[in-house]
Structure formats: structure tokens, C-alpha cells
């Protein structure tokens, strides 16, 4: 069976945009100042759950995730910002996939939970430089760029194919209407001599040095650039690593308080987060991060080896942001990722009229766990507001042959399942399986190898029309310490996805599924011992 290489992100975007594939990388000279140039003219087996009641709606679109508009495609989210009293986020959007190219489409939200589609902010192929690809937007409160105080400035990748050697360069677009529309200014960070990866600029203001900082995906490194005005960029340094593939994409560099195990702040640290390729180590594509220090010029990791933020196959192109209105903006951050994988993204069907969705927004906290700083990822407390009804289950002890008895009405196409597991006696069961979206021979499982301190998701039998990809069929697993004898589990199930959170963010897994809308069965069973199940709630939405 052919194995599709993971690293095909820009190959796919190149196909979408009908532009040549650009597959190698270089950088500008270290220390040199770059000025703007004018644009050209234009696992463990377990029993199959028994299906229960039938979903009330046949609509297969996600109920509470951002998804592509009818018939369209979305991928990379673009970092949200606060505009007035609400959040604004964009994503790469193609209404005529696989033909045509990508635009920036806009969504707004007052709570980071419920999002309203506002249409296209930057159309595709607006000039001879090509499409708009991934970048980031900032509010230029001090008018450093000269477009007016409070103007929104987007620094974005444009393919700029054969444009005086500026292939895959960074362009400046500005908005004077809160991000509803943008106007092109110029290429401000050109990629001479071109034909090399030079993309995904992520910009933020660095207060200690009084200048803008930009991180950029280049071959074998994340380039770091600085600017006084968002127009003139100077190469500052590069963070080199080959642990997660030749190109680290969609980088994010941000600062957080580092908390001790007792909840007290020990220090502040910086996190460099990237989209990476884990195939060489038996993983897949995902979101990887290092913790370290940043002095305005150099990022220095505490360890050359980082960690995966999410153990599933579908959490990529992640963006991270803080709330500037929070009482303490460094206490935590928010994150959202594209729920797909370039190993099979182009094979996913449009059974329900869309291609592509984002994850729910998560909260990130940086905490020392077993002596190591780690990002803990949890759902927002307000995420429960999307659910319209809740049923509670009784406390039960289950063992091999005695499955959990769910309350009436628990099965649903879209729901949140919360429960607590408590060890009975001195040893956990050998395994426990929570099966969801069961019926017609299909089911998806969140499994816990409790004695081995690991969790996994099995989705190879989730439904019909699955991609013919080993990356899809593989059961992904993640380490999680269950030795304390208690497990808190939250599983978010939607029409086409599952997102698993364990022990207050100690482990997270996110994956797409292809379950039919009639499959709403639930099953919870164990083997090799007994376990107490308590605090069971199933919250659902039609």
C-alpha cells in the first residue's frame, strides 16, 4: 500500500492556487537589512458497542466547530485578535476546491465559542503576486507603519511566483475597517533569490526592545526578524532544528508565566511552537513546541528536544494568542488548530458539503510537570454554552462483562462527555474503552491503557468514506500518568471529529472521523479488573 508523505502542505496549496510547487528553502544574509520592493503589475482490541437511539438530524456539518462554508475548503486558521468588543479570526478558504486559489475568510466571536461567518476579507489572486497564504495580523496602535493609529496590519505569505526572484515572500496588507477588508501595500520581506520556503510570518510587539518581531518558516530553521515599522525587516537570528522535518511551519513565539506544581508562579518563559512532521519517530504531522528564553533577538530552548502539544493526527497549523484585556495576560493563552493532516487532507470526501474544520479553542497554561515545563491544554469553561441539554449518569462500578449503563437520551451526533474514573483496589484494569458514534458496524474509541499510563484513539472503523491512508488508520497514542488512581476525562464529539482531554490538560488528542449521522451509540467497558465510574454528564446539541 502506498504511504502518502506527510509533508505536502505547500504542494497542496500550490495545486489549489494552480502555481508551481516550491519545495526547498534558503534565507537572507544574517544581519542584513531588507527593504520593500515594489510589486509587479497586475493498540488494544475491544468489543463493538451496541447502537442505541438515532440522531435527530441528518445534517452532517459540525454543530459547534468552525467549518468550511457549503461546498468550500478551509485550512490554516489565522491568529485571532480583539477588535472592539469581539474576536476576529481568518482562515485560508477556497470556494472552488480543487480549482482556484485561497482567500482570507473572516469569522467573529464574542466568547471564542460561537463564531459568525463574515465572508471574505482578502479575495484570492488579487494581483500578480498570487494568493494570500498564511500570516498574522496585529493592531498598530502607535501608527508605526503610517496607515493610522489602530490600523490592522497583516503580514502574509504570497507565492510571488517568478516575481523578480521574490518567490514565497512576505507582503503587508492593511485594514482600516476592523479587518472586514484589506488593501495591499507591498512586499516587505522579499525572498531573494527565490524558489525556497520562506513563509508563515508570525508578528508580535516586543515591549522590552520597542520593536516588532517576526518568526518565519525557512529550511531547517525558524528565522527571527525585527522591525521598527512593520515595513523594514532585519534578520536577527535563527532557531535550528531537524527534529520535526525539514520545514517547521506556522511558528508562534509567545510568553507565559511558568507555574510550579503548587500553582505558584516560578518564572516567565517563552514558548516556540511549530507545525512539524513526526513520521521519522512514528508519529504524524502535528504541533510541536520548545520552552526557553527570548531576549528580543535569540530564542534559546531549555532542551533541544521539545514535545507534541496534541497526540492526535489532526491538530496542525496551530495559532496562539493572549487576551490583552485579561487581568493577567501572561497567566494563560488561547490556541486553535486546523483539524486535518496533509497525509490525507486531499482525500477527504465532501459527503456533507464541506472540506475542513478548526478545533475548539483551548486554553494553554505553562506548568512544571515532573520537573519539566509543559503546556497543558484544556477546553474553555464557556465551551459548554453550546450544548442545549444535559443528562447525568449514575455512579457505577464496571468490570469485564459488565458495561456502563448510560442514561436515556445520552446518544447524540454532537456532545460533550465528562466522567471520572477511580481505581478499585491496588491495580487498574488492563484497559478501558469509551466508544462513541456507534451503529451500523461503525464506532470510534477513546481508549485508556491504565496500567501502562497511555491513552489512544481508534478511528479506523469510525465510518464510511475514510481516506485510504495509513496515517488515517493508525491508532495514535499519548502518554498520561494514571498512577494517582483517578482519571478525569472529557471527550468532545461532533459530526466529524473527536477531541479528548485527560486530567486537566495532561494529555490531549484530536482526530477527524467519518461517522454516519445515524450512528450515536455509546459504550463504556473495561477488561482485566474493575473501575468506578462517577460524575457522568453528557451534554448535547441537535
Amino acid at each position: 500500500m502506498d504511504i502518502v508523505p506527510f509533508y505536502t502542505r505547500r504542494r497542496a496549496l500550490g495545486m489549489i492556487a494552480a502555481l508551481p510547487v516550491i519545495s526547498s528553502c534558503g534565507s537572507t544574509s544574517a544581519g542584513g537589512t531588507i527593504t520593500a520592493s515594489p510589486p509587479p503589475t497586475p493498540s488494544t482490541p475491544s468489543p463493538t458497542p451496541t447502537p442505541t437511539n438515532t440522531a435527530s438530524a441528518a445534517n452532517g456539518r459540525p454543530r459547534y466547530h468552525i467549518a468550511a462554508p457549503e461546498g468550500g475548503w478551509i485550512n490554516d486558521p489565522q491568529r485571532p485578535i480583539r477588535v472592539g468588543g469581539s474576536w476576529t479570526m481568518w482562515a485560508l478558504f477556497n470556494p472552488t476546491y480543487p480549482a482556484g486559489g485561497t482567500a482570507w475568510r473572516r469569522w467573529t466571536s464574542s466568547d471564542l465559542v460561537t463564531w459568525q461567518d463574515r465572508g471574505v476579507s482578502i479575495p484570492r489572486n488579487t494581483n500578480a503576486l498570487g494568493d494570500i497564504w498564511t500570516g498574522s495580523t496585529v493592531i498598530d496602535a502607535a501608527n508605526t507603519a503610517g496607515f493610522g493609529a489602530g490600523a490592522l496590519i497583516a503580514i502574509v505569505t504570497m507565492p510571488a511566483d517568478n516575481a523578480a526572484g521574490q518567490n514565497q515572500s512576505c507582503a503587508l496588507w492593511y485594514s482600516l475597517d476592523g479587518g472586514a477588508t484589506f488593501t495591499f501595500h507591498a512586499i516587505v520581506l522579499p525572498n531573494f533569490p527565490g524558489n525556497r520556503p520562506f513563509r508563515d510570518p508570525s508578528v508580535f510587539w516586543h515591549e522590552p526592545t520597542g520593536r516588532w518581531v517576526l518568526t518565519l518558516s525557512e529550511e531547517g530553521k525558524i528565522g527571527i526578524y525585527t522591525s521598527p515599522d512593520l515595513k523594514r525587516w532585519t534578520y536577527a537570528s535563527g532557531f535550528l532544528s531537524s527534529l520535526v522535518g525539514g520545514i517547521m511551519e506556522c511558528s508562534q513565539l509567545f510568553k507565559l508565566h511558568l507555574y510550579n506544581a503548587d500553582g505558584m508562579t516560578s518564572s516567565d518563559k517563552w514558548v516556540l511552537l511549530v507545525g512539524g512532521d513526526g513520521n521519522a519517530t512514528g508519529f504524524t504531522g502535528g504541533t510541536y513546541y520548545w520552552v526557553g528564553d527570548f531576549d528580543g533577538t535569540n530564542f534559546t530552548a531549555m532542551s533541544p528536544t521539545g514535545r507534541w502539544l496534541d497526540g492526535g493526527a489532526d491538530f496542525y497549523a496551530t495559532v496562539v494568542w493572549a487576551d490583552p484585556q485579561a487581568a493577567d495576560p501572561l497567566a494563560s493563552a488561547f490556541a486553535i488548530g486546523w483539524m486535518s493532516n496533509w497525509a490525507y487532507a486531499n482525500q477527504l470526501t465532501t459527503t456533507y458539503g464541506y472540506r475542513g474544520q478548526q478545533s475548539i479553542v483551548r486554553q494553554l497554561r505553562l506548568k512544571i510537570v515532573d520537573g519539566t515545563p509543559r503546556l497543558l491544554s484544556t477546553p474553555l469553561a464557556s465551551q459548554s454554552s453550546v450544548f442545549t441539554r444535559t443528562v447525568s449518569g449514575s455512579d457505577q462500578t464496571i468490570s469485564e462483562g459488565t458495561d456502563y449503563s448510560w442514561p436515556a437520551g445520552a446518544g447524540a451526533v454532537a456532545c460533550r462527555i465528562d466522567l471520572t474514573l477511580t481505581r478499585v483496589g491496588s491495580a487498574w484494569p488492563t484497559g478501558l474503552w469509551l466508544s462513541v458514534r456507534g451503529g451500523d458496524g461503525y464506532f470510534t474509541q477513546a481508549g485508556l491503557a491504565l496500567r501502562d499510563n497511555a491513552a489512544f484513539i481508534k478511528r479506523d472503523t469510525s465510518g464510511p468514506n475514510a481516506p485510504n491512508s495509513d496515517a488515517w488508520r493508525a491508532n495514535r497514542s499519548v502518554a498520561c500518568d494514571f498512577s494517582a488512581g483517578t482519571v478525569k476525562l472529557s471527550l468532545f464529539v461532533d459530526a466529524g471529529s473527536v477531541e479528548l482531554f485527560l486530567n486537566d490538560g495532561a494529555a490531549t488528542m484530536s482526530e477527524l472521523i467519518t461517522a454516519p449521522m445515524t450512528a450515536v451509540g455509546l459504550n463504556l467497558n473495561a477488561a482485566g479488573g474493575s473501575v468506578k465510574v462517577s460524575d457522568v454528564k453528557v451534554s448535547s446539541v441537535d
Side-chain angles (χ1 to χ4, degrees), residues 78-79 104 133-138 153-157 200-204 252:
Q78 310 299 309
R79 188 179 66 209
W104 266 29
W133 289 354
T134 287
S136 62
T137 303
V138 295
I153 307 296
I155 307 294
V156 305
T157 310
D200 305 340
S202 179
V203 181
F204 64 93
Q252 307 282 303

Side-chain angles (χ1 to χ4, degrees), residues 12 27 43 48 51 60 97 100 102 105 122 130 134 159 171 186 263 388 416:
S27 64
S43 225
T48 300
Y97 177 89
T102 56
R105 194 175 185 100
I122 306 179
T134 287
T388 55
R416 170 180 181 167

Side-chain angles (χ1 to χ4, degrees), residues 161-288:
D161 185 52
N162 295 322
Q166 298 172 16
N167 306 72
Q168 279 201 11
S169 295
C170 299
L172 186 153
W173 293 68
Y174 65 93
S175 174
L176 304 180
D177 58 8
T181 63
F182 284 82
T183 300
F184 176 77
H185 170 64
I187 294 289
V188 293
L189 187 50
N191 178 22
F192 292 103
N195 291 318
R196 295 171 180 175
F198 198 77
R199 58 181 179 261
D200 305 340
S202 179
V203 181
F204 64 93
W205 178 257
H206 187 249
E207 187 65 36
T209 57
R211 61 189 181 183
W212 298 99
V213 173
L214 178 152
T215 61
L216 195 67
S217 299
E218 303 180 44
E219 188 171 8
K221 70 175 181 178
I222 296 297
I224 298 176
Y225 298 78
T226 63
S227 172
D229 59 6
L230 296 163
K231 295 177 178 177
R232 295 167 294 153
W233 291 95
T234 301
Y235 182 85
S237 66
F239 176 79
L240 280 69
S241 178
S242 59
L243 288 178
V244 288
I247 305 295
M248 298 177 285
E249 297 191 302
C250 303
S251 59
Q252 307 282 303
L253 182 59
F254 56 96
K255 187 179 183 180
L256 285 174
H257 295 324
L258 176 61
Y259 291 93
N260 293 317
D262 60 5
M264 301 298 292
T265 302
S266 64
S267 63
D268 291 345
K269 288 294 180 181
W270 286 80
V271 179
L272 177 61
L273 179 148
V274 302
D277 179 356
N279 278 287
T281 57
F283 189 57
T284 183
T287 298
Y288 196 82

Side-chain angles (χ1 to χ4, degrees), residues 26-361:
S27 64
T28 54
S29 300
T33 299
I34 301 175
T35 58
S37 55
T41 304
S43 225
T44 309
S46 58
T48 300
T50 302
T52 56
N53 51 332
T54 302
S56 60
N59 181 359
R61 291 184 59 82
R63 307 300 201 263
Y64 57 91
H65 288 79
I66 292 176
E70 186 70 24
W73 156 295
I74 61 170
N75 55 300
D76 298 8
Q78 310 299 309
R79 188 179 66 209
I81 58 173
R82 266 199 183 274
V83 179
S86 67
W87 294 97
T88 295
M89 188 188 81
W90 300 265
L92 298 187
F93 165 65
N94 181 352
T96 58
Y97 177 89
T102 56
W104 266 29
R105 194 175 185 100
R106 182 172 65 115
W107 284 261
T108 63
S109 174
S110 61
D111 57 7
L112 297 175
V113 172
T114 303
W115 295 87
Q116 290 75 44
D117 187 350
R118 302 299 187 185
V120 169
S121 293
I122 306 179
R124 51 187 181 173
N125 287 312
T126 57
N127 59 41
L129 296 174
D131 284 337
I132 303 300
W133 289 354
T134 287
S136 62
T137 303
V138 295
I139 299 176
D140 189 13
N143 194 26
T144 63
F147 298 103
L152 272 61
I153 307 296
I155 307 294
V156 305
T157 310
M158 296 188 73
D161 185 52
N162 295 322
Q166 298 172 16
N167 306 72
Q168 279 201 11
S169 295
C170 299
L172 186 153
W173 293 68
Y174 65 93
S175 174
L176 304 180
D177 58 8
T181 63
F182 284 82
T183 300
F184 176 77
H185 170 64
I187 294 289
V188 293
L189 187 50
N191 178 22
F192 292 103
N195 291 318
R196 295 171 180 175
F198 198 77
R199 58 181 179 261
D200 305 340
S202 179
V203 181
F204 64 93
W205 178 257
H206 187 249
E207 187 65 36
T209 57
R211 61 189 181 183
W212 298 99
V213 173
L214 178 152
T215 61
L216 195 67
S217 299
E218 303 180 44
E219 188 171 8
K221 70 175 181 178
I222 296 297
I224 298 176
Y225 298 78
T226 63
S227 172
D229 59 6
L230 296 163
K231 295 177 178 177
R232 295 167 294 153
W233 291 95
T234 301
Y235 182 85
S237 66
F239 176 79
L240 280 69
S241 178
S242 59
L243 288 178
V244 288
I247 305 295
M248 298 177 285
E249 297 191 302
C250 303
S251 59
Q252 307 282 303
L253 182 59
F254 56 96
K255 187 179 183 180
L256 285 174
H257 295 324
L258 176 61
Y259 291 93
N260 293 317
D262 60 5
M264 301 298 292
T265 302
S266 64
S267 63
D268 291 345
K269 288 294 180 181
W270 286 80
V271 179
L272 177 61
L273 179 148
V274 302
D277 179 356
N279 278 287
T281 57
F283 189 57
T284 183
T287 298
Y288 196 82
Y289 69 92
W290 292 265
V291 177
D293 297 292
F294 179 65
D295 60 6
T297 301
N298 296 282
F299 173 77
T300 305
M302 297 174 65
S303 169
T305 303
R307 302 182 69 94
W308 296 104
L309 180 61
D310 189 289
D314 297 311
F315 195 73
Y316 194 70
T318 305
V319 291
V320 178
W321 69 100
D323 184 353
Q325 297 181 11
D328 185 353
L330 297 183
S332 64
F334 301 116
I336 190 170
W338 176 50
M339 288 197 73
S340 199
N341 189 308
W342 285 115
Y344 46 74
N346 297 296
Q347 298 181 37
L348 291 169
T349 65
T350 54
T351 304
Y352 300 109
Y354 74 99
R355 234 190 211 100
Q357 70 169 64
Q358 313 297 353
S359 72
I360 60 172
V361 174

